[in-house]
Amino acid sequence: MAPLNENQLEQKRMERKAQIMKAALKVFADNGVKLTKISMIAKEAGVSHGLVYHYFTSKDEVLYESLEWAMERNRVDQVFHELNESQLSPLEKIKQFTIFGFTQGELEVSSDIFRVVQHLAKSNENDMPDNIYDLVKKSGQFYIESLFPLFAEGQKSGEIIQGDTEELLEIYLTVISGIMADDPTWWRENMDQKVDILLRMITAR
């Protein structure tokens, strides 16, 4: 077998790093950040403890790079763009986003991102490095800025209950995050019906 060239070697390295980051997100999501150890990530990824340190210098670095990597591939910005371009009503757009949140993407990390961010959101700002705090804050702000206009438009059209829009959105995100932090697997069966029931909390009757 001919030796791999530099491009092929780099591709192999990127694939192995992605394998570790995907495993890391699952372990962080399942155990929380404080209880996660590098050895647990290595075991989940099926690699040696030392190989993880070949790619990352610390657990904090694994966490930051894994979140950044996953967020870039989570397609959430594309999803909001497609929803905004669609002719769906505001409530239907919120429903489609909710379904997306409960559905794992092609990299099977979508729900893990929500769960890790939920763990971090409950942490004290002083308990995490600035770069991780800023990344989590930026992610949360993106969802707020993207969803707020849909909630406001839905209230204006009469689809969504009246009241403080920001407070209503905060309640919605808290519920969604809570489900993600627990286990969204159950929601994936008969999802349309379950999401319809869930969204009754914001639907005008």
Side-chain angles (χ1 to χ4, degrees):
M1 181 183 293
L4 298 177
N5 61 39
E6 187 56 39
N7 287 339
Q8 291 171 322
L9 287 172
E10 180 61 21
Q11 180 65 28
K12 286 286 184 183
R13 285 192 286 267
M14 294 304 296
E15 288 174 359
R16 183 56 57 87
K17 186 173 183 179
Q19 176 185 343
I20 294 170
M21 290 190 291
K22 182 177 175 181
L25 286 170
K26 184 177 188 309
V27 176
F28 282 126
D30 289 345
N31 300 279
V33 175
K34 286 187 177 181
L35 295 179
T36 293
K37 295 179 171 33
I38 291 291
S39 58
M40 296 163 66
I41 295 171
K43 182 178 180 181
E44 178 67 29
V47 301
S48 69
H49 188 278
L51 187 62
V52 178
Y53 279 111
H54 175 74
Y55 291 98
F56 306 96
T57 60
S58 66
K59 186 175 81 171
D60 283 345
E61 187 175 291
V62 178
L63 175 60
Y64 179 81
E65 288 202 28
S66 298
L67 279 173
E68 189 176 47
W69 167 80
M71 288 175 179
E72 287 176 356
R73 288 156 176 76
N74 197 30
R75 298 192 309 110
V76 69
D77 53 343
Q78 180 184 338
V79 169
F80 276 119
H81 175 73
E82 291 172 356
L83 288 175
N84 289 330
E85 292 294 312
S86 75
Q87 299 302 310
L88 297 173
S89 71
L91 186 62
E92 188 62 30
K93 289 177 182 179
I94 294 168
K95 177 182 176 180
Q96 291 305 312
F97 168 74
T98 307
I99 290 173
F100 168 78
F102 288 160
T103 306
Q104 290 181 327
E106 59 178 337
L107 293 174
E108 298 184 350
V109 295
S110 296
S111 63
D112 288 340
I113 298 172
F114 280 95
R115 293 167 68 199
V116 174
V117 169
Q118 178 69 7
H119 283 304
L120 291 168
K122 293 177 180 177
S123 301
N124 189 300
E125 177 182 349
N126 297 322
D127 291 340
M128 68 180 90
D130 289 344
N131 61 339
I132 294 176
Y133 174 79
D134 290 343
L135 184 64
V136 171
K137 184 177 179 181
K138 180 181 177 182
S139 173
Q141 191 62 34
F142 172 79
Y143 287 111
I144 291 171
E145 291 175 357
S146 300
L147 286 166
F148 187 91
L150 299 182
F151 275 72
E153 186 182 347
Q155 288 179 312
K156 186 176 180 180
S157 67
E159 273 193 308
I160 293 176
I161 58 176
Q162 298 303 307
D164 187 315
T165 309
E166 188 174 340
E167 184 177 61
L168 192 62
L169 174 55
E170 186 176 341
I171 291 171
Y172 164 82
L173 288 173
T174 299
V175 171
I176 297 301
S177 297
I179 293 169
M180 287 296 183
D182 180 24
D183 182 3
T185 305
W186 178 80
W187 287 82
R188 297 189 186 115
E189 298 177 12
N190 302 319
M191 185 178 295
D192 272 10
Q193 181 181 353
K194 289 174 181 173
V195 171
D196 280 339
I197 294 171
L198 173 67
L199 293 183
R200 287 178 188 173
M201 67 178 178
I202 62 169
T203 305
R205 291 175 173 73

